[in-house]
Amino acid sequence: MKKLLLLTVVLTLSIVLSGCKNKEEEQEPIVHDIPREIPVNIQELAYSDYLNLNNPVVTITVEGMGEIVFQLFPDVAPNTVNSFIQYVEEGEFENNEFHRVVEGFIIQAGSLEEPACNIPGEMTQNDFENNLLHYAGVVSMAKVGNEYNSATSQFFILTTNAAYLDEEYATFGGLVSGFQIVDYISSLQGDNGEVPSVKVVITSITVDLNGYTPSDRVCYVAEEE
């Protein structure tokens, strides 16, 4: 009976110590010291003419930072918007990060895995009329070099005006809140090129369609020579 009691005490102690160890190993969530957001007058945004209550709204939750919210502009780049919505709804942005940051310029996210498809680039240099310029707060699609039909799920948000990107990249949305978070993420550019100095984890990306009915994305198909 004494041996059984001793064994029970040892096992209990072992469980308690094990629990303490696991507790010690748990890391505290990182909480970033981000400046309080200054209210933005939507009418004063350079892309205000594109904003309306019927546009789909994307909400990005960034771990330890808060929410970045932007509208999608189907009237500007319909296939790009439809493709982005499809990526969101299919969960392609799960466990994603802002993996590229350039201080005072852009922050970039999107799946690094093999894409579902490339889409035709909806920009002027690809014979598509897109008049939304690359203002601070505008959301645009990344592409591979000069391959105008190589856009997938990777997108970037501008923190400054960048006229030299106009006609070369497909703009498709605009920020409405979270400006200070975008600026802060941009400031995290580390010494290792354009990789942020700390992981900038996206815990979720959701889209409120606001009555908009997206079509299936149209993938790019190269013409046969």
Side-chain angles (χ1 to χ4, degrees):
M1 186 67 163
K2 286 183 180 180
K3 286 184 179 179
L4 182 59
L5 182 60
L6 180 60
L7 180 60
T8 303
V9 171
V10 169
L11 285 173
T12 303
L13 183 59
S14 175
I15 293 169
V16 171
L17 289 175
S18 175
C20 291
K21 184 178 179 182
N22 290 336
K23 204 166 187 179
E24 287 173 1
E25 289 176 352
E26 289 179 1
Q27 294 183 350
E28 290 293 324
I30 298 173
V31 178
H32 297 267
D33 186 18
I34 299 173
R36 181 178 61 84
E37 181 163 18
I38 299 172
V40 174
N41 184 344
I42 297 296
Q43 299 303 318
E44 293 179 355
L45 293 173
Y47 47 90
S48 62
D49 289 346
Y50 296 92
L51 298 169
N52 68 68
L53 297 177
N54 297 319
N55 285 331
V57 176
V58 173
T59 301
I60 301 176
T61 304
V62 185
E63 186 177 54
M65 298 186 195
E67 293 182 345
I68 297 168
V69 181
F70 59 85
Q71 288 189 9
L72 300 174
F73 302 148
D75 292 340
V76 171
N79 190 49
T80 303
V81 166
N82 291 337
S83 179
F84 189 87
I85 290 172
Q86 195 166 335
Y87 277 121
V88 172
E89 292 181 338
E90 290 174 352
E92 288 293 327
F93 293 111
E94 290 179 5
N95 302 315
N96 202 232
E97 302 174 16
F98 281 103
H99 60 268
R100 179 182 178 228
V101 300
V102 182
E103 187 167 9
F105 179 38
I106 64 163
I107 64 174
Q108 183 171 321
S111 176
L112 297 175
E113 303 297 326
E114 187 175 344
C117 79
N118 297 340
I119 59 173
E122 293 177 315
M123 75 282 281
T124 306
Q125 284 285 24
N126 210 28
D127 299 324
F128 182 92
E129 186 177 359
N130 183 335
N131 296 316
L132 174 60
L133 304 182
H134 284 81
Y135 300 117
V138 162
V139 187
S140 190
M141 291 303 298
K143 61 181 175 63
V144 179
N146 291 322
E147 297 293 328
Y148 293 117
N149 299 308
S150 61
T152 56
S153 70
Q154 291 204 33
F155 65 99
F156 58 91
I157 305 173
L158 290 140
T159 65
T160 188
N161 296 343
Y164 58 92
L165 299 181
D166 296 339
E167 302 184 0
E168 289 287 331
Y169 291 83
T171 51
F172 69 103
L175 209 61
V176 293
S177 70
F179 292 86
Q180 87 290 7
I181 298 175
V182 172
D183 287 340
Y184 176 78
I185 294 172
S186 169
S187 75
L188 295 175
Q189 181 179 1
D191 298 329
N192 187 20
E194 298 174 351
V195 178
S197 55
V198 297
K199 275 193 173 186
V200 184
V201 179
I202 295 172
T203 56
S204 70
I205 297 184
T206 60
V207 59
D208 183 348
L209 296 178
N210 280 330
Y212 174 71
T213 304
S215 303
D216 289 339
R217 69 167 71 92
V218 176
C219 299
Y220 171 70
V221 179
E223 295 181 3
E224 293 184 7
E225 296 183 358

